[in-house]
Amino acid sequence: QQPVQSPQAVILREGEDAVINCSSSKALYSVHWYRQKHGEAPVFLMILLKGGEQKGHEKISASFNEKKQQSSLYLTASQLSYSGTYFCGTDMNRDDKIIFGKGTRLHILP
Amino acid sequence: DAGVTQSPTHLIKTRGQQVTLRCSPKSGHDTVSWYQQALGQGPQFIFQYYEEEERQRGNFPDRFSGHQFPNYSSELNVNALLLGDSALYLCASSYGTGNYVQYFGPGTRLTVT
């Protein structure tokens, strides 16, 4: 039931774009995206709910394909501060039991 | 506005001992969830407390127990510690239930020797 994230790791140069994908084998109610820097707490980026509602930062965009149980996080014009590990978490039953993927490590080079 | 706080920051325990970790939710939040994060892995859901009751539980043994107090703060207790319990324990708070945004605390790093 753990969502699968891809790619596992990516290296970009500042200003380049990145897409991080999250897929589940089960029907989802919501997808949650977090970024975690080494030694720090995960920081909320975006929540996407079944039915199209989204809540999150203005500079972060994401999509949720309910039919395919897939979500993608879009990072455009990446900045050095975007470096970290990105986790997607999924909730299948609207019961706040969020299951996180293994993460995608993003490294931005100057 | 204080965010989620956790104590202690680091803890070293011996196998077989018991440990208590503490969490104070973000101001205005009434729901607390606990996660275990092993090195290089995503957080794993342990359980969630709302209105002083365990509302949801992940696949963790009964050695893991918790409590929520009337002021919404929470404790995570782990009995009979195993080497495999070494991890970062994260607390996250939210307002209400039903997929509201969860805000994470800095975590407690537990090392079992």
Side-chain angles (χ1 to χ4, degrees):
Chain A
Q1 296 180 347
Q2 183 179 38
V4 177
Q5 291 186 232
S6 63
Q8 289 184 323
V10 60
I11 300 175
L12 297 175
R13 291 210 173 272
E14 200 172 6
E16 292 182 336
D17 301 338
V19 179
I20 300 173
N21 301 303
C22 175
S23 64
S24 172
S25 59
K26 303 285 186 179
L28 301 174
Y29 177 77
S30 66
V31 179
H32 305 237
W33 286 97
Y34 287 82
R35 177 174 60 220
Q36 185 177 31
K37 295 182 181 288
H38 183 69
E40 298 181 9
V43 172
F44 169 73
L45 296 175
M46 176 78 70
I47 179 172
L48 302 104
L49 304 173
K50 189 176 180 179
E53 185 179 358
Q54 297 185 4
K55 304 173 189 177
H57 292 281
E58 294 179 356
K59 295 185 178 180
I60 301 288
S61 64
S63 64
F64 178 21
N65 186 322
E66 296 174 28
K67 289 184 179 180
K68 293 185 177 181
Q69 325 319 329
Q70 292 176 347
S71 178
S72 295
L73 187 70
Y74 306 97
L75 304 171
T76 57
S78 58
Q79 305 171 16
L80 293 176
S81 62
Y82 288 7
S83 291
T85 301
Y86 290 76
F87 292 102
C88 76
T90 56
D91 184 339
M92 292 179 286
N93 303 309
R94 197 182 179 183
D95 59 6
D96 293 334
K97 195 172 174 179
I98 301 174
I99 309 300
F100 283 92
K102 293 185 176 182
T104 294
R105 292 183 300 282
L106 175 66
H107 187 61
I108 309 295
L109 299 173
Chain B
D1 178 21
V4 181
T5 60
Q6 293 186 242
S7 63
T9 306
H10 296 88
L11 205 52
I12 300 175
K13 289 287 188 178
T14 303
R15 192 172 47 185
Q17 286 187 317
Q18 178 263 345
V19 68
T20 298
L21 311 181
R22 295 176 177 81
C23 171
S24 292
K26 183 178 169 67
S27 178
H29 286 186
D30 57 5
T31 303
V32 173
S33 302
W34 285 93
Y35 294 84
Q36 179 194 68
Q37 186 176 28
L39 207 58
Q41 300 295 317
Q44 284 195 61
F45 178 80
I46 302 175
F47 42 54
Q48 182 184 75
Y49 276 84
Y50 174 67
E51 294 188 337
E52 301 180 50
E53 291 189 358
E54 184 181 290
R55 179 173 172 268
Q56 290 291 339
R57 189 179 183 91
N59 295 326
F60 280 80
D62 292 343
R63 298 187 297 109
F64 290 77
S65 63
H67 188 76
Q68 186 178 34
F69 298 94
N71 66 352
Y72 308 120
S73 66
S74 176
E75 288 183 349
L76 164 66
N77 301 293
V78 186
N79 294 323
L81 285 167
L82 303 174
L83 296 179
D85 294 333
S86 294
L88 179 67
Y89 288 84
L90 295 163
C91 163
S93 75
S94 57
Y95 172 71
T97 58
N99 273 264
Y100 288 93
V101 176
Q102 296 189 12
Y103 292 90
F104 282 86
T108 293
R109 172 71 63 185
L110 173 65
T111 302
V112 182
T113 61

